[in-house]
Structure formats: structure tokens, C-alpha cells
Amino acid sequence: QVQLVESGGGLVQAGGSLRLSCAASGLTFRNYAMGWFRQVPGKEREFVAAINWSGGSKLYADVVKGRLTISRDNDKNTVYLQSNSLKPEDTAVYYCAADDAYYSGSYYLRGGGMDYWGKGTLVTVSS
């Protein structure tokens, strides 16, 4: 049973930082590409960042480039999203996701391509 559990969300002021973590179990973590997506009420799920099995390839949505950084630790079965210079428009529920096939940025950018999802963690950025 694949399980993805996000943590690290919370309330921060604009310009502040958070590090989100996603602990994976029930899968051979190093075989999976991983990603972060976010969603706000009334809007579609939005791609944030993705990383291939080794961490050698990364992809970011344009709106988060230079501010958010995805990384992974295959020994800890954990993927991270270091979020700096946060803006109120970053407020959303952030979801961790896993792809059991091949890394495919074109699908991730469209909000798809992932097979397993966590329950999400809320990030709120105050003005």
C-alpha cells in the first residue's frame, strides 16, 4: 500500500520560508519520480515542481522558479520542497505525488502524470 504523508505546512508571513516534507512508504522510493502540486478552493490542481528518481532532473512551474526548490533523499524515502520568499498567492494545499512510470515533465506541467497522492498540507502566507 503506497502512502505519501506531507508535513511542514503552516502559517508564514510574506517573504518567509517553509520546508515541506513528504514521507513515502509502500514503494521502492528510488524507482519513482516525485512531485509537488497545489490547489486553492475553486481552482484546478496546479503543478509546482517535480524531480526524477536520482534528483538529477528537476522541473518547476514558472511562477515558483527561483523561490521554491525540490529535493529528495532516497535513503530517507523523503522528498522536500524548500519554499522561500513566499507570497500570498502561494497559499494553497500542497500535495505530494509519485509517478510509478517514467519521469515526464510535459505531463506534470499539465497537472497530470502522477499515480499516487498524499492528503496534502496547508500553506498559508499572510500579507
Side-chain angles (χ1 to χ4, degrees):
Q1 184 80 13
V2 174
Q3 188 172 17
L4 306 175
V5 180
E6 303 95 336
S7 62
L11 175 64
V12 298
Q13 297 182 46
S17 298
L18 284 175
R19 189 176 78 160
L20 306 183
S21 298
C22 173
S25 61
L27 75 170
T28 303
F29 183 73
R30 62 183 175 274
N31 291 347
Y32 288 73
M34 303 295 296
W36 289 96
F37 297 74
R38 66 189 185 186
Q39 190 170 28
V40 299
K43 294 186 178 180
E44 297 295 319
R45 183 174 59 212
E46 178 187 30
F47 170 75
V48 176
I51 189 168
N52 78 331
W53 73 272
S54 68
S57 296
K58 299 177 182 179
L59 183 67
Y60 297 96
D62 287 341
V63 294
V64 305
K65 286 180 180 177
R67 300 188 299 113
L68 277 59
T69 302
I70 190 170
S71 62
R72 67 190 296 160
D73 186 337
N74 286 345
D75 291 329
K76 297 184 181 297
N77 287 5
T78 302
V79 62
Y80 305 96
L81 187 69
Q82 180 64 50
S83 306
N84 300 326
S85 301
L86 286 164
K87 304 175 180 179
E89 50 264 44
D90 293 317
T91 296
V93 177
Y94 283 71
Y95 296 93
C96 176
D99 183 4
D100 65 2
Y102 295 99
Y103 176 88
S104 183
S106 62
Y107 289 102
Y108 306 153
L109 286 167
R110 296 160 56 192
M114 296 293 183
D115 301 292
Y116 304 101
W117 296 87
K119 291 183 171 61
T121 186
L122 177 63
V123 172
T124 303
V125 185
S126 65
S127 301

